[in-house]
Amino acid sequence: MRTPIVAGNWKMNGSQSSIAELLGGLKSDLRVAGPQVLVCAPYPYLAQVADLLQGTSIQWGAQNASQFASGAYTGEVSLPMLKEFGCSSVILGHSERRAIFGETDEQIAEKFVAALEAGVTPILCMGETLQQREAGQTQQVVSQQLMAVVEKAGIQAFSRAVLAYEPVWAIGTGLTATPEQAQEVHQALRATLAEQDESVAQSLRILYGGSVKADNAQELFACADIDGGLIGGASLKAEEFIAICQAAE
Ligand code: PGA
């Protein structure tokens, strides 16, 4: 039995007041026992989020981190720093980081290792563009993104990690993968890892992300290899996010 995870990816959104309102809403109305619930906030608000979530079962994480532990890396934030504040998880390799900030598979693999060394759970994202899907390259693309990290970190590292399959064409577009499309990729990712270690593959949580909403979450989460969601836009509204968490019960 894999415990589902519903993780909010706030991206570069929010203000002190909107975050207070959002977390206030979650704290008063979120009543779920099953899934692990997590919110990933922009760096300046992490301390506020940590403070507001104290004593609740909601965990918090970051959306990126440096592969380096400390030193002359202007503008970067390290995983040991995040850990010092109680950060539980970090999103790595999101398609926006890959496409807009040019992150490579190699850098993402280094960040993944750094997260595990710091004791922060990496949520490793992968996904194909529309062009790649239409060219029939989906499996090849996601498996390459996955294997770059397996080669660097080793299969056993995945017993302490989470994966997120996020088709690029579904992110922020309102176009969601159908449950069948998502399940097919999730199953293939798990099978790829199972070739190296069956038990690691079976216990790994694989989240789906890409326009998950309250009204499509249930059918996605019902799929055998979908263990919850990474939620962007819909995680910014308490009511919507709570409904998605309930769908993962
Ligand atoms: P979306 O974003 O739910 O707004 O599509 C998901 C993500 O980018 O993690």
Side-chain angles (χ1 to χ4, degrees), residues 130-150:
L130 185 59
Q131 201 184 8
Q132 290 165 332
R133 173 161 283 269
E134 286 172 346
Q137 296 166 342
T138 299
Q139 301 297 356
Q140 184 196 327
V141 167
V142 295
S143 120
Q144 197 174 318
Q145 290 169 337
L146 175 61
M147 290 315 291
V149 180
V150 175

Side-chain angles (χ1 to χ4, degrees), residues 71-76:
Y73 302 104
T74 303
E76 292 291 282

Side-chain angles (χ1 to χ4, degrees), residues 151-223:
E151 274 156 30
K152 176 96 188 169
I155 184 69
Q156 294 308 321
F158 284 78
S159 62
R160 294 182 289 141
V162 173
L163 296 192
Y165 168 56
E166 299 204 306
V168 178
W169 49 271
I171 295 176
T173 56
L175 290 176
T176 317
T178 65
E180 294 73 25
Q181 284 173 322
Q183 166 60 22
E184 190 184 12
V185 177
H186 283 231
Q187 190 175 24
L189 288 170
R190 201 182 299 288
T192 301
L193 293 174
E195 284 170 22
Q196 303 208 13
D197 191 308
E198 179 70 29
S199 95
V200 168
Q202 289 311 326
S203 56
L204 180 73
R205 270 86 57 88
I206 309 179
L207 315 183
Y208 169 79
S211 298
V212 177
K213 303 274 182 288
D215 60 12
N216 60 23
Q218 201 144 21
E219 53 175 12
L220 286 160
F221 297 168
C223 297

Side-chain angles (χ1 to χ4, degrees), residues 9 11 94 96 166 170-173 209-212 230-234:
N9 174 10
K11 308 195 181 187
H94 190 281
E96 287 151 16
E166 299 204 306
I171 295 176
T173 56
S211 298
V212 177
L230 182 55
I231 321 300

Side-chain angles (χ1 to χ4, degrees), residues 14 31 56 69 78-79 110 139 158 174 179 187 189 210:
R31 300 271 172 276
T56 74
S78 79
L79 283 146
E110 287 170 2
Q139 301 297 356
F158 284 78
Q187 190 175 24
L189 288 170

